[in-house]
Amino acid sequence: TALFPLLHSASRLLSFSRSASVVSKANNAQPNWLGVGLAFGTSAALWALLIKQHNEDVMEYERRKARAQCRQCS
């Protein structure tokens, strides 16, 4: 089709072109506090969810273990 040569030439341009953007050196004297806060906040939230889920899983395991022991006794 007529679309294939167009896509092929566009992919060649994209693969061999260089980026015109220039990355400036990071200023460590002024950290991005919003980014730092979001990173630590997200990490803390994920750890809290992980610990909560673990505790729920342990409680479910203990409940099922106790029920299995009661069935063996009777």
Side-chain angles (χ1 to χ4, degrees):
T1 65
L3 188 58
F4 180 72
L6 181 62
L7 289 175
H8 182 68
S9 63
S11 68
R12 284 187 55 202
L13 283 175
L14 290 174
S15 64
F16 292 112
S17 65
R18 288 186 167 207
S19 176
S21 64
V22 177
V23 176
S24 62
K25 197 169 186 180
N27 184 2
N28 293 330
Q30 294 177 338
N32 179 3
W33 290 113
L34 178 61
V36 171
L38 285 172
F40 278 112
T42 302
S43 180
L46 288 173
W47 273 105
L49 287 172
L50 179 70
I51 291 169
K52 178 180 174 277
Q53 185 65 49
H54 172 73
N55 290 338
E56 289 175 0
D57 290 345
V58 169
M59 286 176 27
E60 178 69 15
Y61 169 77
E62 294 294 336
R63 186 184 65 80
R64 289 183 183 205
K65 184 175 157 185
R67 182 184 291 175
Q69 287 176 350
C70 288
R71 286 183 184 162
Q72 289 174 357
C73 295
S74 56

